[in-house]
Amino acid sequence: MKQILILSGKGGTGKTTIASNFINISKAKIFADCDVEAPNLHLISMVKNLKERENYYGLDKSVIDQEQCLKCGICYDHCKFNAIVYKDNQYKIDLHLCEGCGVCNYVCPQKAISFVKSIDGELLLYKDEDRAFSTAKLNMGSGNSGLLVTRVKKNIHELIRKDDLVIIDGPPGIGCPVIASMSGVNLVLLVAEPSLSGISDLKRIIKTASSFHLKIAVCINKYDLNKKLTQSIIEYLNINNYSFVGLISYDKEIIDYINLGKPLLEGSKPYKEIKKVFDNTISLIS
Amino acid sequence: MKIAVLSGKGGTGKTFVSVNLAYVMANSAYVDCDVEEPNGELFFKGNYTEEPVEVEIPVIDHNSCILCGKCSDFCRFNALAIIIDKVRVFSQLCHSCGGCKLVCPVEAITEKKKNIGMIKESYYENHHIVSGVLNIKEETGVKIIDEIIEKIKTFNEDVVIDCPPGNGCSVMASIKETDYCILVAEPTIFGLHNLEMVYELTQVFDKKIGIVINKAESNDIINQFAMSKNIEILMKIPFDREMGRLNSMGEIVSKKIKYKAIFDNLAEKILRKKQ
Amino acid sequence: MIIIIPTKTSGEKSFISDNLGRANYFYVFDSNKNIGEVYINKHLDNPHGVGIKTAEFILNKHSDVLITPRVGEKSLELLKGKVKIYKSIDKIVKENIASFFNNDLEELH
């Protein structure tokens, strides 16, 4: 079994587009979307049969039992997140602002404050005869965590057979969710973009991935939008000995086919470019 | 007027729209709340003053600490642990709730200030530039955003707020005081899905909104969405290689006469909503 | 010598967990007594800071050796110099321990 994780640091570089084309090209049977704050892979995934849905719980939040509350306001004074509001003669906790620290529970002389489970999102597993796709969706105001990413990956773990190729669309950024998404993968493919902000994000994500001794490959998407910066990315990769696996042009056809929910035509220019990136990537792990 | 620029995900042109909109408005302020990736500065180059943003974190007095473990047990963010014979504080995980100090039976915990980032300020031509920057490795920049929002309350000029992507708590903090929200989206099924997410957020907070379509095409899916929800389309930016290239090099495209008109038009439409 | 290993299921026949802080179980092997004990990872469902709690657990068990596929930044900072860390192989716990005593495991960090 080989696992390829696709990351970019910066959003909008074409991570999901590449992931979906990799799935088409390789006929991969197992894939996952760990970009749970803005999941998109399910929109083009061919596996439509929702098999399992499970709540994802974040940290518990606090709630005040109005029957026992003496309205002393001690909780209000101690809350550092301004999550306790006094309205209509009652102290209440704004669940959007509560971080679940438990200070109010502790200071309440009446013990009128307790924890309640907080549903921060849901885990979704799609399955048909021989394919499986795992993803999750976060609720508004909730943040991604290493825990949720690990759960998304665990959902497909038992389904992976020996020769499967697993493709994972990773979260943006370089934080804890990204690190969690790296566990067990054979290679990280980074999708770079030739812009000043894209380059600085690329360097940060390379640093994170190398600290885990992971094999790294880099492709440049929309390379023709700025050939000068594309050249400087390639030079940077060469100097530092990172595998460069290809260039993909900015081509409206790629987006058109995604919007239609269809795979790119074999033999078309974008297909050939992505296929080359795919072949080069696979050759690094076989 | 305070205008927030939002998008469901990164890379849709949120900073591009914010920077150029602020630039064509007379005496405006550009405010970067995307503290994890503050890219507005790449466009508004200049000398910035820096003001640190601090949070309170615990300090352990190891002489009085009796290693009872109550602080570490209480901390829901796992920012304290007993490592061999000492309580250690992991400040990046600390949410500054003050709980450990409350539960310590021997008063061995005090608080000290810790820098998590800064607010930078400058003037670019006649525009006031404010930019929040979160230090690398810090987990949340909500405190920085809160301080920026507090600061701009007193601004008399029109303010354009470049928000973080997504619909998390940092976006909620950014749009708290705004009069109007601009949602930027690209016409792909991904773009539409992410637009629906932020749209939902603006509805929960009862904000007035309009849509800017980046890389627009005639009657594309974002257009159709806007029509179905009765949302005003403020501007359609067609794909333009030259514009993309200038922007990727950190140039303000509305400095060019060719591109200025479309942003003038956007500014006019929005400012008209003031009355 | 105490050897600690993050595992997917319980016991010496388990495979190694892909990550340390979010392992389902920890296998703690005392080579002097030739006894292995299984611990449930209490912090598995915690959204934040599991790395720190894991390091705390490993150190509290007075571990000399950790066999794992990888170590996160936070755990590493705490374990460095206190516990020897070796890269696990894609086999069950028992075989990893055997490989360790044969000096076949590669040192991580």
Side-chain angles (χ1 to χ4, degrees):
Chain A
M1 175 253 289
K2 301 280 184 207
Q3 279 192 50
I4 298 177
L5 169 68
I6 305 179
L7 292 174
S8 66
K10 184 181 182 294
T13 64
K15 197 164 49 60
T16 306
T17 305
I18 308 273
S20 69
N21 280 290
F22 268 34
I23 293 166
N24 284 330
I25 292 170
S26 65
K27 309 270 182 289
K29 296 202 166 54
I30 311 270
F31 33 98
D33 189 354
C34 293
D35 186 357
V36 297
E37 277 169 80
N40 276 330
L41 197 55
H42 66 286
L43 297 170
I44 39 170
S45 149
M46 295 70 60
V47 194
K48 296 281 179 211
N49 183 21
L50 182 60
K51 194 86 183 176
E52 283 168 34
R53 181 197 289 265
E54 189 193 337
N55 282 335
Y56 165 69
Y57 297 97
L59 268 189
D60 295 349
K61 303 217 163 150
S62 294
V63 60
I64 302 173
D65 178 350
Q66 297 299 338
E67 306 244 300
Q68 295 196 43
C69 176
L70 296 177
K71 303 182 175 49
C72 65
I74 293 178
C75 57
Y76 180 90
D77 294 338
H78 276 85
C79 178
K80 296 271 179 85
F81 310 104
N82 300 318
I84 299 178
V85 281
Y86 187 67
K87 220 169 87 184
D88 305 330
N89 207 22
Q90 275 188 339
Y91 285 98
K92 278 192 177 156
I93 294 174
D94 180 334
L95 291 179
H96 281 311
L97 294 174
C98 175
E99 301 202 8
C101 70
V103 164
C104 55
N105 307 39
Y106 180 80
V107 297
C108 177
Q110 277 294 94
K111 299 269 165 272
I113 306 180
S114 54
F115 282 127
V116 282
K117 286 228 173 281
S118 160
I119 300 174
D120 280 10
E122 57 180 0
L123 284 142
L124 303 162
L125 179 66
Y126 296 82
K127 237 162 105 181
D128 58 20
E129 295 100 64
D130 60 345
R131 293 180 302 181
F133 167 53
S134 174
T135 183
K137 203 180 147 217
L138 271 176
N139 292 346
M140 195 187 294
S142 303
N144 194 359
S145 70
L147 173 63
L148 183 52
V149 167
T150 306
R151 287 272 176 78
V152 169
K153 295 184 72 178
K154 268 195 181 159
N155 260 346
I156 46 169
H157 211 270
E158 287 128 51
L159 305 169
I160 302 174
R161 283 141 304 189
K162 214 172 152 256
D163 303 323
D164 277 335
L165 176 70
V166 180
I167 292 175
I168 302 161
D169 190 0
I174 52 166
C176 197
V178 172
I179 292 167
S181 73
M182 289 176 179
S183 76
V185 307
N186 301 81
L187 180 138
V188 181
L189 173 66
L190 303 173
V191 182
E193 167 192 278
S195 69
L196 291 180
S197 53
I199 293 177
S200 83
D201 292 342
L202 175 71
K203 289 182 180 167
R204 300 212 309 180
I205 188 85
I206 285 182
K207 216 173 135 197
T208 311
S210 352
S211 71
F212 285 101
H213 306 274
L214 284 170
K215 216 173 253 177
I216 297 168
V218 182
C219 69
I220 306 176
N221 192 19
K222 307 176 210 169
Y223 86 94
D224 49 338
L225 292 187
N226 195 323
K227 290 189 176 157
K228 216 169 121 196
L229 290 180
T230 292
Q231 205 45 48
S232 65
I233 296 175
I234 297 175
E235 273 161 29
Y236 169 79
L237 298 174
N238 284 340
I239 292 168
N240 293 286
N241 247 329
Y242 296 114
S243 305
F244 168 64
V245 287
L247 300 170
I248 300 162
S249 320
Y250 178 84
D251 195 322
K252 241 188 61 48
E253 203 177 318
I254 301 182
I255 294 159
D256 289 345
Y257 274 86
I258 282 197
N259 286 349
L260 288 169
K262 285 187 184 158
L264 285 166
L265 290 181
E266 279 183 43
S268 64
K269 185 179 163 221
Y271 180 89
K272 282 185 190 156
E273 287 177 343
I274 297 176
K275 176 79 165 56
K276 199 170 157 199
V277 169
F278 175 76
D279 290 341
N280 288 340
T281 306
I282 289 293
S283 73
L284 293 172
I285 49 173
S286 45
Chain B
M1 190 175 185
K2 300 204 170 32
I3 306 147
V5 183
L6 304 160
S7 75
K9 58 178 255 170
T12 57
K14 189 172 44 60
T15 298
F16 170 67
V17 170
S18 318
V19 164
N20 286 286
L21 175 62
Y23 187 75
V24 298
M25 293 194 320
N27 303 314
S28 65
Y30 165 86
V31 173
D32 201 344
C33 281
D34 189 0
V35 298
E36 287 181 44
E37 282 172 4
N39 288 329
E41 243 186 274
L42 295 172
F43 298 87
F44 296 114
K45 297 173 188 85
N47 294 322
Y48 282 78
T49 57
E50 297 175 356
E51 180 193 330
V53 178
E54 295 171 322
V55 293
E56 294 200 318
I57 58 157
V59 190
I60 316 286
D61 174 4
H62 296 293
N63 290 326
S64 25
C65 174
I66 52 168
L67 292 170
C68 67
K70 283 195 172 132
C71 55
S72 150
D73 287 344
F74 184 85
C75 181
R76 311 248 299 149
F77 313 107
N78 293 330
L80 296 150
I82 301 180
I83 299 298
I84 306 176
D85 57 354
K86 255 189 192 144
V87 174
R88 285 206 37 190
V89 178
F90 298 87
S91 59
Q92 285 136 20
L93 293 169
C94 177
H95 286 219
S96 308
C97 72
C100 51
K101 187 177 155 191
L102 285 172
V103 300
C104 178
V106 292
E107 292 182 13
I109 301 181
T110 49
E111 282 170 336
K112 70 166 182 191
K113 298 227 185 270
K114 181 200 152 193
N115 184 293
I116 58 157
M118 58 188 163
I119 297 175
K120 299 169 82 172
E121 270 188 275
S122 182
Y123 280 88
Y124 186 92
E125 297 174 12
N126 55 351
H127 305 282
H128 193 167
I129 314 296
V130 181
S131 172
V133 185
L134 180 70
N135 293 346
I136 289 180
K137 289 197 177 174
E138 291 296 338
E139 306 233 328
T140 165
V142 173
K143 177 85 193 293
I144 300 178
I145 296 171
D146 284 343
E147 286 195 13
I148 292 176
I149 299 301
E150 200 53 44
K151 182 187 268 292
I152 63 171
K153 269 186 187 166
T154 58
F155 284 18
N156 292 319
E157 62 265 52
D158 293 312
V159 179
V160 178
I161 304 169
D162 190 352
C163 297
N167 63 355
C169 49
S170 56
V171 182
M172 290 183 180
S174 308
I175 65 169
K176 222 163 31 192
E177 302 288 332
T178 55
D179 308 298
Y180 192 80
C181 293
I182 299 175
L183 314 183
V184 184
E186 286 180 14
T188 67
I189 51 170
F190 302 155
L192 174 63
H193 182 248
N194 296 327
L195 173 66
E196 286 167 346
M197 286 170 27
V198 252
Y199 168 71
E200 192 194 340
L201 177 85
T202 56
Q203 295 311 290
V204 169
F205 289 91
D206 211 9
K207 296 287 176 188
K208 289 197 195 99
I209 59 166
I211 290 179
V212 167
I213 311 179
N214 195 12
K215 300 192 182 139
E217 288 169 37
S218 61
N219 195 29
D220 55 45
I221 51 176
I222 304 295
N223 202 31
Q224 289 161 19
F225 172 79
M227 306 281 262
S228 74
K229 298 277 181 201
N230 221 351
I231 309 167
E232 180 182 4
I233 295 175
L234 299 162
M235 172 166 73
K236 294 181 181 180
I237 311 171
F239 174 69
D240 181 316
R241 253 170 218 273
E242 172 67 8
M243 192 157 70
R245 199 188 57 83
L246 289 171
N247 189 61
S248 72
M249 299 300 283
E251 286 187 36
I252 301 170
V253 302
S254 52
K255 280 186 181 177
K256 304 232 181 254
I257 309 262
K258 194 167 138 194
Y259 301 117
K260 184 173 181 293
I262 56 168
F263 286 99
D264 277 339
N265 187 276
L266 174 66
E268 198 197 307
K269 271 189 192 163
I270 292 169
L271 293 177
R272 221 185 289 145
K273 301 185 190 304
K274 230 193 276 195
Q275 291 100 37
Chain C
M1 179 190 285
I2 309 280
I3 300 172
I4 190 159
I5 305 177
T7 64
K8 283 182 182 167
T9 51
S10 69
E12 59 175 14
K13 286 185 182 152
S14 166
F15 276 98
I16 314 294
S17 168
D18 284 339
N19 41 20
L20 178 62
R22 299 213 184 272
N24 292 331
Y25 300 91
F26 293 105
Y27 188 80
V28 181
F29 180 72
D30 185 335
S31 67
N32 301 332
K33 298 179 192 152
N34 200 21
I35 292 175
E37 280 182 293
V38 174
Y39 292 84
I40 292 175
N41 183 0
K42 279 197 297 183
H43 298 284
L44 182 61
D45 288 339
N46 216 311
H48 306 289
V50 277
I52 285 156
K53 288 290 158 181
T54 308
E56 187 180 34
F57 175 77
I58 293 170
L59 294 170
N60 283 343
K61 289 281 159 225
H62 305 286
S63 313
D64 304 290
V65 168
L66 167 66
I67 302 176
T68 177
R70 54 182 225 148
V71 188
E73 216 173 323
K74 291 169 193 134
S75 307
L76 184 64
E77 187 196 328
L78 295 170
L79 297 174
K80 234 181 185 167
K82 301 186 182 80
V83 178
K84 285 214 153 205
I85 306 171
Y86 291 86
K87 190 167 171 55
S88 58
I89 49 173
D90 194 14
K91 288 185 176 157
I92 61 169
V93 168
K94 220 169 137 180
E95 290 171 286
N96 270 278
I97 294 173
S99 297
F100 168 74
F101 283 110
N102 284 334
N103 291 321
D104 286 341
L105 295 186
E106 175 196 340
E107 210 167 325
L108 252 183
H109 304 288

